[in-house]
Amino acid sequence: MPTDTPPAASGYVQPEVDVRSLTELLDGEYAEIRDLVRSNLTAYASVLDEADDLGVDAYRERVRELVVEMAATGQTGMGFPREYGGGGDVGASIAAFETLAFGDLSVLVKVGVQFGLFGGAILHLGTERHHEAYLPDLITGQLMGCFAMTETGHGSNVQALGTMAEYDAAAREFVITTHGDQARKDYIGNAAHHGELAVVFAQLKVGGTTEGVHAFVVPIRVGGEVAHGVHIEDDGRKMGLNGVDNGRIRFDGVRVPREALLNRFADVTPEGVYESPIDNPDRRFFTMLGTLVQGRVSVGGAGVNAAKVALAIAVKYSVRRRQFEAASDTEEQLLLDYGLHQRRLLPLLARTYALHFAQDVVRTQLHEVFSGATDDPQARRLLEARAAGTKALGTWHATRTVQECREACGGAGYLAINRFAALKADSDIFTTFEGDNHVLLQLVAKGLLTHYAGEFEDLDQLGMVRYVTGLAVETVIEKTSAHKLLERVRDLLPGGDEWDQEAGLLDSEYHLAMLRYREEHMLAGVARRLKRGIDQKRNPGVVFSQVQDHVIAVAHAHVERLVLEAFVARTKALPEGGNRVAVGLLCDLFALSAIEADRAWFMEHGRLTVQRSKAISREVNDLCRKVRPLAEDLVDAWGIPTEMLRAPDLVGQDLSGRSRVVG
């Protein structure tokens, strides 16, 4: 037992965690598919060693083999229609991908490229002719493909892609051409060795008119050989994920039939007439990209689960590793009994639970939108923004958590036999692919500032500035979900305008009110700065650039508020008992840690006194002490197979039975 366990005399009774029941809660409605993935991970656990032992080429081949073998179990095809061999369940496909992140991340990313990006583009951007031609073999992994969007000179700015697809009406073909080094497709997974087809994003030119970016199915290999007119280079070794064959692709007048255009949102007649049910080119572009939001939801969830692996190892190590005679003359003290070690790991544990529940919300929204349960355009816009924000916070959390956990395991954590070397190298890119996190948060802020107006898809950065500055600041605030915050606070908390000084520190309504206030105040500040700059007749682009730090801050505050709301709602819905108490401790710890981390802002804006700020820090310390004896059960509830921890010296052989596949 820890030496500083809160005494019963304080009125606190330590809860008992029912690990199996908590696992069932966390797995939710997708327990069956998650257990299938756990079983597959255990069966193929040797890949964690092979990643170190094999050369790059052999490792890539091993990863490809595993992807095909896992596909045969039905794990990777859950999101595709049943008539083509899939499972017909979008939510299940996301849950499977999240769980796969417990294992080798090259396998995860290879699955993401093949079934999420390549397969998802054909499913969502194509029509029946494409589905029939490609989906059956794609779902089994027999047809490997890649998603050729990113270019050397155009990553996040997809609308400016340089690859050209010009329609030749006489031949009824599109001619795909790479114009210069900046337009070459780069970092493309599955391109260097395994891909046979590529979904290529290019500027469509018909009859001398450019119609914007569209997607085409282009063969890049025929019979195992690189196709005529296609040039492929291997990107070589990367910082991590070396089981994925990333490459560069150029197209030198490659001809594909007219039917190669993925034509759900636009088509070209045989005679060369461009047709689309969406007249506005910007709206058409954002509608096309919006169908690919599944990738962001997947990567955000994968980041959270990578953090779980790191925390499981670090927590297990900290309850068996002793260091210094701190509280006894006869034996050294366990690491997790030190207040500093608790402070390092347990708020991260709480945040991981918070992000898990936030991921549940965005996964459910995705399932509803893509399964046809709702066709509300507003729901789709909200999903896109929420997916962008959750992905950003989830992947940043993974990067921070893996590093902190590595350090918390000292020199032992630096050995390659443990998971940290691979976790650090392989998960680092999560903050960049499927959208650079800072760019994604600007998308979130755009939605907040315009409240997803009918013109949302039409508004580029400058259009957004002009739209916002055309409104009164009060109108911007009125349209946000945090509107009339203070009126709500007075109904929920004591003290009138002094609510933030008199509310209980462990009152979830106080926590929510603080984060809502921060978001609303930041949003008003950004709107005022934009308006002031335009009133001074300054260039809208310059005005926006100078407030970008505020834009990112308000987006971050917004998403963190959504995360807390999801956590509070899930906690309140739990039945009475030890698990509800334990999860409630984590919810309080997450909320107060978030307030503490931004205490400077709250103090600058009059919502936190010095005395209350100190009281919050004391409360965080107390919550850490309460969570400490529950910590191992809380990480065991994630159901990470023992084989995935791959850290015998850290977690201890005697604990190998605790982390198990829950069935």
Side-chain angles (χ1 to χ4, degrees):
M1 288 291 293
T3 56
D4 56 354
T5 301
S10 67
Y12 171 76
V13 178
Q14 181 178 311
E16 184 173 330
V17 176
D18 183 335
V19 175
R20 179 173 293 275
S21 175
L22 187 52
T23 301
E24 292 172 355
L25 167 74
L26 295 170
D27 283 356
E29 62 187 300
Y30 299 114
E32 185 175 353
I33 185 66
R34 292 187 191 278
D35 278 343
L36 171 61
V37 177
R38 289 184 178 109
S39 296
N40 285 340
L41 287 173
T42 301
Y44 300 114
S46 61
V47 71
L48 297 177
D49 295 319
E50 292 161 349
D52 290 335
D53 298 338
L54 297 176
V56 171
D57 289 341
Y59 179 32
R60 287 172 170 178
E61 291 304 316
R62 180 58 176 152
V63 168
R64 185 193 64 78
E65 290 171 4
L66 292 191
V67 169
V68 174
E69 291 178 28
M70 287 183 177
T73 70
Q75 167 192 316
T76 59
M78 293 302 299
F80 295 99
R82 294 185 185 276
E83 58 264 34
Y84 300 111
D89 191 329
V90 176
S93 72
I94 304 297
F97 190 82
E98 294 165 359
T99 310
L100 190 60
F102 288 154
D104 178 80
L105 295 183
S106 283
V107 174
L108 174 90
V109 171
K110 189 85 165 180
V111 165
V113 169
Q114 170 69 12
F115 304 103
L117 294 176
F118 173 60
I122 288 181
L123 175 63
H124 296 303
L125 299 181
T127 53
E128 187 175 356
R129 72 190 187 204
H130 305 106
H131 299 166
E132 291 180 347
Y134 304 120
L135 289 186
D137 287 341
L138 184 160
I139 291 170
T140 64
Q142 298 307 307
L143 173 65
M144 300 291 282
C146 51
F147 183 85
M149 176 184 281
T150 300
E151 295 179 355
T152 302
H154 299 98
S156 298
N157 188 7
V158 178
Q159 278 184 292
L161 292 178
T163 303
M164 185 66 66
E166 186 166 5
Y167 186 63
D168 180 348
R172 296 188 177 180
E173 294 175 329
F174 292 103
V175 183
I176 314 293
T177 307
T178 300
H179 293 287
D181 287 345
Q182 295 303 301
R184 69 184 178 186
K185 299 299 179 182
D186 214 345
Y187 327 120
I188 309 301
N190 270 357
H193 286 282
H194 297 144
E196 299 173 57
L197 296 178
V199 172
V200 177
F201 288 80
Q203 302 286 351
L204 171 60
K205 191 172 185 179
V206 183
T209 301
T210 300
E211 302 290 353
V213 173
H214 292 67
F216 305 81
V217 180
V218 182
I220 59 173
R221 286 184 178 83
V222 178
E225 299 297 323
V226 176
H228 178 71
V230 177
H231 305 276
I232 299 176
E233 301 175 43
D234 195 322
D235 274 324
R237 289 189 67 90
K238 306 181 293 291
M239 198 170 146
L241 298 176
N242 284 302
V244 182
D245 54 320
N246 295 81
R248 301 185 179 101
I249 313 175
R250 296 171 181 266
F251 302 96
D252 184 11
V254 175
R255 288 180 172 267
V256 294
R258 184 183 67 88
E259 293 77 12
L261 172 65
L262 293 175
N263 62 331
R264 178 180 175 188
F265 298 109
D267 208 347
V268 176
T269 68
E271 296 74 25
V273 178
Y274 180 78
E275 299 176 337
S276 174
I278 306 174
D279 293 333
N280 184 282
D282 289 327
R283 182 170 295 143
R284 184 167 59 244
F285 172 76
F286 282 109
T287 300
M288 289 172 57
L289 289 195
T291 64
L292 306 176
V293 69
Q294 182 172 332
R296 287 174 183 165
V297 177
S298 297
V299 171
V304 174
N305 274 17
K308 290 178 185 176
V309 176
L311 277 165
I313 295 171
V315 167
K316 286 177 175 296
Y317 183 63
S318 69
V319 297
R320 61 184 296 270
R321 176 72 156 87
R322 295 181 179 274
Q323 187 88 299
F324 300 113
E325 296 89 350
S328 170
D329 295 331
T330 59
E331 65 177 355
E332 294 180 284
Q333 182 161 302
L334 291 170
L335 290 180
L336 202 54
D337 287 345
Y338 286 101
L340 177 59
H341 215 78
Q342 294 171 11
R343 268 286 194 156
R344 295 173 68 183
L345 296 182
L346 300 185
L348 294 177
L349 174 63
R351 192 173 188 86
T352 303
Y353 265 79
L355 288 165
H356 175 104
F357 293 130
Q359 178 71 10
D360 284 348
V361 174
V362 75
R363 187 196 319 105
T364 299
Q365 291 179 345
L366 178 81
H367 182 81
E368 290 173 349
V369 168
F370 280 79
S371 66
T374 176
D375 58 359
D376 179 12
Q378 183 82 345
R380 184 177 288 273
R381 293 167 186 156
L382 290 169
L383 166 64
E384 290 170 13
R386 187 158 193 153
T390 305
K391 184 268 182 183
L393 264 62
T395 55
W396 271 328
H397 174 67
T399 299
R400 174 191 172 195
T401 300
V402 171
Q403 177 63 28
E404 191 64 55
C405 289
R406 203 294 300 158
E407 292 184 33
C409 291
Y414 197 65
L415 300 179
I417 193 173
N418 302 318
R419 285 297 305 275
F420 290 119
L423 282 172
K424 278 173 60 70
D426 293 344
S427 67
D428 190 83
I429 192 64
F430 286 14
T431 61
T432 299
F433 67 27
E434 289 300 320
D436 175 277
N437 284 352
H438 287 93
V439 175
L440 292 183
L441 287 185
Q442 289 183 69
L443 173 66
V444 174
K446 174 185 172 183
L448 287 173
L449 288 163
T450 64
H451 194 59
Y452 312 98
E455 302 88 347
F456 180 75
E457 287 91 348
D458 307 348
L459 297 173
D460 58 12
Q461 181 174 293
L462 302 187
M464 182 201 71
V465 173
R466 294 188 179 103
Y467 177 89
V468 173
T469 55
L471 301 174
V473 172
E474 291 72 22
T475 303
V476 175
I477 301 307
E478 184 177 353
K479 289 178 177 289
T480 72
S481 58
H483 178 51
K484 296 184 178 177
L485 166 67
L486 295 183
E487 285 85 343
R488 285 207 310 271
V489 169
R490 293 189 186 105
D491 292 338
L492 296 169
L493 298 173
D497 289 334
E498 300 300 315
W499 57 268
D500 52 330
Q501 305 306 321
E502 300 184 22
L505 288 180
L506 298 181
D507 187 335
S508 61
E509 296 299 339
Y510 166 68
H511 303 155
L512 289 167
M514 288 288 276
L515 295 200
R516 288 167 178 160
Y517 176 85
R518 179 180 63 173
E519 176 188 346
E520 180 178 291
H521 195 286
M522 285 183 170
L523 188 61
V526 170
R528 289 190 185 97
R529 286 179 174 86
L530 290 172
K531 193 169 183 64
R532 185 185 310 124
I534 297 301
D535 289 346
Q536 294 171 351
K537 310 299 183 185
R538 295 161 59 200
N539 181 283
V542 173
V543 173
F544 182 82
S545 179
Q546 291 180 345
V547 302
Q548 264 182 311
D549 55 336
H550 298 284
V551 167
I552 296 299
V554 70
H556 193 285
H558 169 71
V559 181
E560 196 164 55
R561 187 261 295 176
L562 293 178
V563 172
L564 179 59
E565 286 181 343
F567 203 171
V568 169
R570 183 60 67 90
T571 303
K572 289 182 176 179
L574 290 176
E576 295 293 336
N579 284 356
R580 176 169 178 164
V581 174
V583 172
L585 292 172
L586 292 176
C587 189
D588 289 340
L589 179 54
F590 166 68
L592 290 181
S593 295
I595 295 170
E596 182 188 49
D598 208 12
R599 70 169 85 196
W601 188 93
F602 287 109
M603 294 176 79
E604 285 176 353
H605 294 85
R607 297 266 68 109
L608 199 62
T609 64
V610 172
Q611 293 75 15
R612 197 166 179 85
S613 175
K614 291 179 178 179
I616 285 176
S617 292
R618 288 194 296 271
E619 197 65 60
V620 169
N621 288 335
D622 187 56
L623 286 166
C624 285
R625 286 191 290 271
K626 290 175 179 175
V627 171
R628 182 264 175 261
L630 314 174
E632 191 172 12
D633 283 341
L634 291 169
V635 299
D636 279 346
W638 292 327
I640 305 170
T642 304
E643 294 83 356
M644 295 303 97
L645 300 182
R646 194 180 177 242
D649 292 338
L650 295 181
V651 304
Q653 299 294 346
D654 58 316
L655 299 179
S656 62
R658 296 201 52 156
S659 294
R660 72 258 183 249
V661 176
V662 178

